[in-house]
Amino acid sequence: MLSHYGLKEYMNTRLLLLSAFAFITAGVASIANAADKPTGPPSSLVSALQATTNIVFKEFYPGEEKRFTVIDQPQIRRLVSAIHLEWKGPCHCEHLHGAIFQGPAESITVSFCDHCFDVGTNYYAMPKKFYSQFRKLAQKEGWHELP
């Protein structure tokens, strides 16, 4: 049988081991979780955007859909070069706008709002410079007032 002092030492050692185990487990889970999150867009997405030859912008409101196409290559380059994607995770806002970046090999479909730029199930923060340029083009097309 353990004395009071021996029991106390045993309990302290056990508590220390349990704490160390919990700390290590949390660290491993944190590293695994961080590995699941993309740090930036895949290189294939960047390449496809850089190869864009025209951009079809869409606006969806109940009962109407508007669209316009940008074919001017200098304008396309300005728009595409303004896209710097940073992972942000999903949100649950309603995207009333979309774009299709069409290139010779593939098309990239995007839905967006003033703070989201979503490519499929990849969620990025809206690049401010891109959104500013888009707003100017949309206003020229007579679209609804944008935030």
Side-chain angles (χ1 to χ4, degrees):
M1 176 157 221
L2 291 173
S3 69
H4 176 69
Y5 177 74
L7 181 60
K8 186 175 178 183
E9 186 175 283
Y10 169 77
M11 295 302 288
N12 284 342
T13 302
R14 187 170 179 199
L15 181 61
L16 179 65
L17 289 173
L18 286 172
S19 297
F21 177 76
F23 181 75
I24 291 168
T25 303
V28 169
S30 176
I31 290 168
N33 191 24
D36 290 344
K37 292 182 181 178
T39 57
S43 59
S44 59
L45 173 60
V46 173
S47 297
L49 289 172
Q50 290 172 347
T52 297
T53 55
N54 67 3
I55 304 170
V56 179
F57 286 104
K58 298 179 179 185
E59 179 179 60
F60 312 101
Y61 277 91
E64 68 178 304
E65 179 181 318
K66 295 181 181 180
R67 64 175 54 209
F68 69 89
T69 303
V70 177
I71 58 172
D72 179 62
Q73 291 306 302
Q75 181 66 48
I76 290 170
R77 293 297 134 237
R78 282 190 295 276
L79 286 160
V80 170
S81 68
I83 299 173
H84 300 283
L85 299 176
E86 295 181 25
W87 172 257
K88 79 168 200 59
C91 72
H92 302 289
C93 58
E94 184 176 14
H95 291 171
L96 301 176
H97 298 97
I100 303 171
F101 294 82
Q102 298 174 327
E106 65 180 304
S107 296
I108 303 295
T109 301
V110 174
S111 67
F112 62 89
C113 65
D114 63 329
H115 62 277
C116 301
F117 190 92
D118 297 350
V119 183
T121 58
N122 295 308
Y123 308 102
Y124 303 100
M126 170 54 78
K128 292 182 186 321
K129 190 174 177 183
F130 173 83
Y131 191 71
S132 174
Q133 292 180 30
F134 161 72
R135 283 185 67 207
K136 290 175 187 173
L137 292 171
Q139 287 172 346
K140 286 181 185 176
E141 294 293 323
W143 282 16
H144 291 92
E145 186 65 30
L146 302 172

